[in-house]
Structures are given as structure tokens and as C-alpha cells.
Amino acid sequence: LVYVISMHLRNTLFYNFLSASANYQDNIAVGEVSNVVNREIPNAVSGVISPLTLVTYLIFLFILVIMLLALSMKITIVAFFVLAVSSLVTRTWINKSKTVGRKVVTVNSDINSFLIERLNSTRLISLSNTKVKESAKFKDLSKRQKDLSISASVLNSKTEAALDPLVVGISLLFLYVSYPFAGMSIEAIGLYMIIFMRMLPLVKGIVQTWQKVKGAFGAIEIVEKRITL
């Protein structure tokens, strides 16, 4: 599905660009169009389709929550309250993913524009003896791209790393309060833990998928901008 949608978007963008006014074409760098077609469209489509996965996670989560409420309403409410509050820790990193994603789109466009212009002017660069200067510019762009890519990866890793201790903490909390405070039997506690442990990967998947959507905002915006002219 991603490949089919990406193909249609590429075809539409290319046709719209050729049909645009000469003034519009002159004001848009060829490298930016190339970057949108080759890199940002797949990223944008992936970001748009990700909410479908999110809906699937939410459906399964709803079913498991109903089962947990049937076993112990008090414990489930407390566990979800702790889970919701703890998940706010990842909110900053998720929002930063959106900002970094936009910067990645910009630097990708800059690199593509730089490469296309310089590769079409290699003879002029050689005659003007500016190879060192142009290489320095490219190294700077390459470093910016590397730094932003690392930043995006670090943000994703932080979110994933923060959720694992959260899972362990809530599980220990449940074991501590389930028997003395909720009066649950050993069998009910075991069943509750099995269902709860099945639910936590869903919560983790929801948070990570939402971060992926946020990170794709930059690609979605530039694709929409270039297709709609």
C-alpha cells in the first residue's frame, strides 16, 4: 500500500510541477523537488498510514482493559492512572521528534540541491579552482544531516528506554497492592498479570507509533505543499 500511494504521489507531484507557472518552477530548487520525490514522499506516506496501526493497537487495548476491569476495577484504575502520568515523561521527546523531523527534511533538501548544482557544474568548479571550498560546504551539510539523524534516533531510543522501566514498575506496584488491598486470589492475580503483561506492549507500541507520526510531520508538510502548489 505504501508503494502504491507513493507512486501516485510521485506522478501527481511531477505532473503538477510541469504544469506550474515558469515563475513557480524558477523559485523552487530542483534538488528540493528531487528530495521530495525520492525521500520525503515515502516518509510522509508511512507517517500517514501509521495511525491505522494506532487504531489496531487501541482496539486490542480496549478489549484487554475490559477484561482487566472485570477482574479488578480498583487496581485497573490505579494502574492506568500511574501509566498515564508516567507516559507524560515521553511527551517532551515526542514533541522534539516533530521539530527534528522538520529540520531533517530541510537539510535533505539542501544536500540534494547542493549536489545537483555542483555535479552539473564540475567543469566550472575545476576551472575556478574552488574544489576545496565546495568540499568544505558539502562536509558541513553532511555533518548537519548526520547530527540531526542521530538526534532523531536518540529521541526514539529515549522513549523506548523510558517505557521498559515503566512496565517493570507498574508490575511490581500491582503485585504489592493486589493481594492485601484488593483482596484478589492468587489465581486472579496470575490471570490479571498475564493480561496486563499482554497489554503493556500495546501501550508501548501506541507511544512509539505516535512518535513516528510526529517525526513524519515535516515530510507530510513538504509533500502537501509541493503537490498542492
Side-chain angles (χ1 to χ4, degrees):
L1 181 61
V2 172
Y3 300 116
V4 173
I5 296 175
S6 296
M7 179 192 70
H8 286 298
L9 287 175
R10 288 190 181 102
N11 294 340
T12 301
L13 188 148
F14 184 70
Y15 178 82
N16 288 349
F17 184 78
L18 294 180
S19 303
S21 64
N23 183 53
Y24 176 85
Q25 293 174 351
D26 291 339
N27 289 328
I28 302 298
V30 175
E32 180 181 329
V33 177
S34 174
N35 176 63
V36 171
V37 169
N38 291 316
R39 179 175 298 205
E40 305 309 337
I41 282 181
N43 291 339
V45 173
S46 179
V48 170
I49 289 180
S50 291
L52 297 178
T53 305
L54 207 59
V55 171
T56 304
Y57 283 146
L58 290 172
I59 292 173
F60 281 111
L61 182 63
F62 177 77
I63 294 173
L64 293 179
V65 169
I66 296 299
M67 296 172 67
L68 292 179
L69 287 172
L71 288 172
S72 176
M73 182 174 293
K74 292 180 180 179
I75 296 297
T76 302
I77 292 174
V78 172
F80 263 85
F81 176 76
V82 175
L83 186 64
V85 172
S86 302
S87 297
L88 293 177
V89 175
T90 64
R91 183 178 180 180
T92 301
W93 301 325
I94 292 174
N95 289 334
K96 283 184 178 179
S97 293
K98 182 178 179 180
T99 302
V100 172
R102 285 171 171 161
K103 291 180 178 179
V104 168
V105 171
T106 300
V107 75
N108 287 342
S109 295
D110 291 343
I111 285 182
N112 267 283
S113 298
F114 183 90
L115 278 174
I116 290 174
E117 291 174 7
R118 270 54 177 188
L119 292 176
N120 286 329
S121 308
T122 53
R123 187 177 296 275
L124 178 60
I125 292 173
S126 179
L127 291 173
S128 59
N129 196 26
T130 58
K131 294 188 291 293
V132 175
K133 183 179 179 181
E134 297 298 342
S135 295
K137 289 181 180 178
F138 184 76
K139 286 181 181 179
D140 180 63
L141 287 171
S142 183
K143 184 178 183 302
R144 282 171 51 200
Q145 186 183 50
K146 181 260 297 181
D147 291 342
L148 288 170
S149 298
I150 291 176
S151 295
S153 180
V154 167
L155 289 172
N156 291 332
S157 298
K158 282 183 177 180
T159 301
E160 184 176 359
L163 291 173
D164 290 332
L166 177 62
V167 170
V168 176
I170 293 178
S171 300
L172 293 175
L173 176 65
F174 167 73
L175 290 175
Y176 178 75
V177 302
S178 57
Y179 183 75
F181 296 101
M184 296 176 66
S185 64
I186 299 299
E187 295 81 3
I189 292 173
L191 179 59
Y192 193 99
M193 283 297 297
I194 292 173
I195 298 174
F196 191 72
M197 294 305 293
R198 291 289 298 169
M199 183 192 72
L200 290 173
L202 294 176
V203 175
K204 187 175 180 179
I206 289 170
V207 173
Q208 291 177 321
T209 301
W210 182 240
Q211 185 172 28
K212 180 180 179 181
V213 173
K214 285 276 192 174
F217 265 42
I220 294 171
E221 289 168 351
I222 192 65
V223 170
E224 181 182 14
K225 183 178 179 181
R226 291 295 162 244
I227 285 184
T228 56
L229 300 182

